[in-house]
């Protein structure tokens, strides 16, 4: 009780939670079997809906740890008078992240579902671990008095 993780910890745990959700999807996809011919693939064994529901729950939780927290953090650390501009930068990074997600999505058919979701889990986990590793230097930088330009 009374312990809430810092903003930087939340920003690191968000991608890790999303990675866990993608691992759940990879596990669910691995339970399926499909038969393919030259024209199409047919799934002969489908995954249980539990895998999808759990994955969406974890992904949503991770997104809630990242997006609103990151936007508030951006506004908090922005220089005086530039909060709106920095919040716009935060939104612009979402554009580029979604563009990258679309490019990664093109590899779905070549990798197959289990490997594709495992790849997304690795990317999310790496992002979260980098954020957690940057926590101490960022806290020192935020605690330092601002320098004039």
């Amino acid at each position: 009780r009374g312990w809430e993780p810092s903003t930087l910890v939340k920003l690191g745990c968000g991608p890790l939670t999303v990675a866990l959700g993608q691992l759940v999807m990879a596990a669910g996809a691995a339970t399926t079997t499909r038969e393919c011919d030259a024209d199409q693939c047919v799934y002969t064994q489908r995954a249980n809906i539990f895998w999808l529901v759990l994955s969406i729950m974890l992904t949503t939780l991770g997104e809630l740890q990242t997006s609103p927290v990151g936007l508030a953090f951006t506004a908090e650390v922005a220089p005086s008078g530039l909060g709106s501009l920095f919040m716009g930068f935060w939104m612009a990074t979402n554009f580029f992240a979604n563009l990258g997600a679309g490019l990664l999505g093109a590899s779905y058919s070549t990798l197959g579902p289990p490997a594709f979701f495992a790849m997304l889990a690795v990317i999310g986990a790496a992002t979260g671990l980098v954020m957690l590793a940057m926590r101490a230097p960022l806290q020192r930088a935020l605690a330092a008095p601002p320098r004039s330009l």
Side-chain angles (χ1 to χ4, degrees):
R1 290 184 183 230
W3 185 83
E4 182 175 343
S6 71
T7 300
L8 296 173
V9 170
K10 290 178 193 175
L11 286 173
C13 288
L16 291 174
T17 307
V18 171
L20 186 59
Q22 297 306 310
L23 279 179
V24 168
M25 280 297 284
T31 66
T32 64
T33 55
R34 65 182 178 168
E35 295 175 6
C36 298
D37 59 21
D39 295 333
Q40 64 180 349
C41 291
V42 176
Y43 284 89
T44 57
Q45 180 178 341
R46 295 180 185 264
N48 190 317
I49 191 77
F50 161 80
W51 297 106
L52 179 63
V53 170
L54 182 59
S55 175
I56 290 173
M57 286 174 51
L58 289 167
T59 301
T60 301
L61 181 62
E63 177 65 26
L64 288 173
Q65 291 172 322
T66 305
S67 188
V69 172
L71 185 60
F73 180 70
T74 301
E76 178 184 328
V77 299
S80 180
L82 296 177
S84 297
L85 178 67
F86 276 64
M87 290 170 71
F89 286 144
W90 174 265
M91 293 299 178
T93 61
N94 286 329
F95 164 77
F96 290 109
N98 286 316
L99 184 64
L103 295 173
L104 282 175
S107 64
Y108 179 84
S109 59
T110 56
L111 290 176
F116 176 76
F117 291 117
M119 174 191 67
L120 294 180
V122 168
I123 292 170
T127 302
L129 292 173
V130 166
M131 288 296 297
L132 289 174
M134 291 174 41
R135 182 183 58 162
L138 283 173
Q139 284 176 332
R140 281 193 300 274
L142 292 172
R147 291 187 262 173
S148 59
L149 298 175

